[in-house]
Amino acid sequence: MKAIAFLAVALASLAAAAAAQQTELGGKVRSGQEVTVPAGETVQGDLIASAGTVRIDGRVDGDLVATGGQVTIAGTVTGDVLAAAGSTTISGEVGGDVRVGTGQARVEGRIGEDLLLGAGQVSIASEAQVGGDLIFGAGQMRMDGAVAGSVLGATGNYTRGGSVGGSEKVTVQQPEEEQAPTLGERALDRLRRYASILVIGVLMLWLLPRVIRGAADSARGRPLVSFGVGILGVIGVLVALVLVIVVTVLVAITLGLLGLGSLSGATVFGGILAAGIIAFLFFLAVAFGAQATVGLSLGRLLFRGEGRSFLSRFGALAFGVLVVVLVAAIPVAGGWLEALLVLLGLGALVLMMRPGRRRLAEQPG
């Protein structure tokens, strides 16, 4: 059997030479569009066949190694069979073991020893006989024949109407159904989301108080403008990333052509770093900062009399973010509503990048 395995590996290296001729080594290696051993012909010794279609109607007094789109054994093989094909049919007789890797397999004939299958679909007909053990791994398996030995395999679907002389151990692997999250799991997920946005919002209130307060005022006072700027902001970031990559590549190529390899490498590193920073800041703004901004805007709108202390603004932020998270949890429409709120908050933050808008943040409120 080791010799057969070696021949199977060697077949790949022989494919180019075999393609130029129909036979090699006195007919031991055959290739082409179709390889056929017609009825009445006997191949003395092993046969290695590679073709779009391999069909054995005659007799092979030895082992058969076959690869192709379709392999059919309707005659007799006295030794072992090793096959790799899109579809494999065995309706004749094999004296030794059969080892097959295939998309579809059908066995209708007699196999003297073990049958080993790795296939998508397998059908062992009622007239089929396996003299040894049946070992398989398949997507679907139908076994209506007679197995003198034992059966061992794993499949997604197993149907048996035949007989098994030894033990039978088949593992049927059913696809796992995705279970919908429970109410408690959904509530926990929303709580984690609320805590994440609230933490970022608190950090912004602490480190960038004028920015987040000014952005909250923009979201509340000029919602349409903020929403439009948010859309432009998303487009702008994508364009900026593309430009950074293109410019980095062009500059690196130019420096490389000038023989400045070290500067070229530094340029690539700098470009990757710049693109990473832009992407990271954009992620923070979209995933957390925008929702925190809208949350503070809603909180200040609902608590008009809140003081100027950090604690009072924290209370407005905490309540507003809770409203944002609950809106996002609405079935079906929640995702769309959250996307609109993100664009609103993102646009308000972008507006705060303008010097004129920063003066708005200096005003009390």
Side-chain angles (χ1 to χ4, degrees):
M1 239 1 256
K2 291 182 179 179
I4 296 179
F6 172 78
L7 290 173
V9 174
L11 181 61
S13 61
L14 290 173
Q21 305 180 51
Q22 204 65 22
T23 62
E24 281 283 358
L25 303 179
K28 185 175 183 178
V29 178
R30 305 186 185 187
S31 66
Q33 185 66 29
E34 182 177 357
V35 171
T36 301
V37 177
E41 179 182 347
T42 298
V43 177
Q44 299 293 339
D46 299 337
L47 173 62
I48 303 172
S50 176
T53 300
V54 176
R55 184 175 182 89
I56 308 299
D57 291 322
R59 181 183 178 91
V60 176
D61 277 337
D63 298 331
L64 171 66
V65 178
T67 62
Q70 183 177 2
V71 173
T72 301
I73 301 174
T76 300
V77 177
T78 61
D80 299 331
V81 170
L82 178 64
S87 64
T88 303
T89 302
I90 301 176
S91 57
E93 182 175 351
V94 177
D97 298 321
V98 173
R99 292 170 172 84
V100 176
T102 185
Q104 293 183 336
R106 181 170 178 81
V107 180
E108 302 172 347
R110 182 182 179 280
I111 297 171
E113 298 182 13
D114 297 337
L115 171 60
L116 175 62
L117 292 165
Q121 294 181 340
V122 179
S123 175
I124 299 180
S126 58
E127 61 270 26
Q129 298 179 25
V130 178
D133 298 326
L134 169 62
I135 305 171
F136 66 89
Q140 295 182 357
M141 177 64 159
R142 183 176 184 87
M143 211 292 287
D144 293 326
V147 177
S150 300
V151 172
L152 175 64
T155 181
N157 183 280
Y158 182 57
T159 303
R160 182 171 80 82
S163 62
V164 177
S167 63
E168 184 177 19
K169 184 177 180 181
V170 177
T171 302
V172 180
Q173 301 171 336
Q174 298 292 345
E176 296 183 1
E177 296 182 359
E178 294 186 2
Q179 296 181 350
T182 63
L183 180 61
E185 291 173 338
R186 291 198 296 267
L188 182 59
D189 180 66
R190 289 293 98 187
L191 181 60
R192 291 171 178 167
R193 181 69 177 148
Y194 172 73
S196 301
I197 298 174
L198 186 60
V199 167
I200 297 298
V202 170
L203 289 175
M204 294 177 70
L205 274 178
W206 179 33
L207 301 174
L208 304 169
R210 296 177 180 177
V211 173
I212 189 172
R213 294 203 319 262
D217 289 337
S218 296
R220 180 176 59 186
R222 304 174 66 187
L224 292 179
V225 174
S226 297
F227 182 76
V229 172
I231 296 175
L232 295 177
V234 173
I235 298 174
V237 169
L238 296 177
V239 171
L241 287 173
V242 173
L243 286 178
V244 168
I245 295 173
V246 171
V247 171
T248 300
V249 171
L250 292 177
V251 172
I253 292 175
T254 302
L255 293 175
L257 293 176
L258 294 176
L260 304 175
S262 58
L263 287 179
S264 177
T267 300
V268 172
F269 175 78
I272 294 175
L273 181 62
I277 292 174
I278 293 173
F280 177 70
L281 293 177
F282 179 67
F283 168 76
L284 285 181
V286 170
F288 305 104
Q291 291 94 326
T293 299
V294 175
L296 181 61
S297 178
L298 290 174
R300 298 180 72 181
L301 179 65
L302 296 173
F303 295 98
R304 292 180 179 274
E306 96 277 7
R308 299 182 182 179
S309 67
F310 181 85
L311 288 178
S312 63
R313 285 171 177 150
F314 170 77
L317 173 68
F319 184 82
V321 170
L322 178 61
V323 173
V324 171
V325 172
L326 291 178
V327 168
I330 297 175
V332 183
W336 294 100
L337 293 175
E338 185 178 23
L340 296 177
L341 294 178
V342 166
L343 291 175
L344 176 64
L346 181 63
L349 289 172
V350 172
L351 286 175
M352 277 305 299
M353 302 300 172
R354 298 168 52 194
R357 295 302 298 171
R358 288 178 188 157
R359 289 195 295 268
L360 178 63
E362 304 286 344
Q363 300 176 4

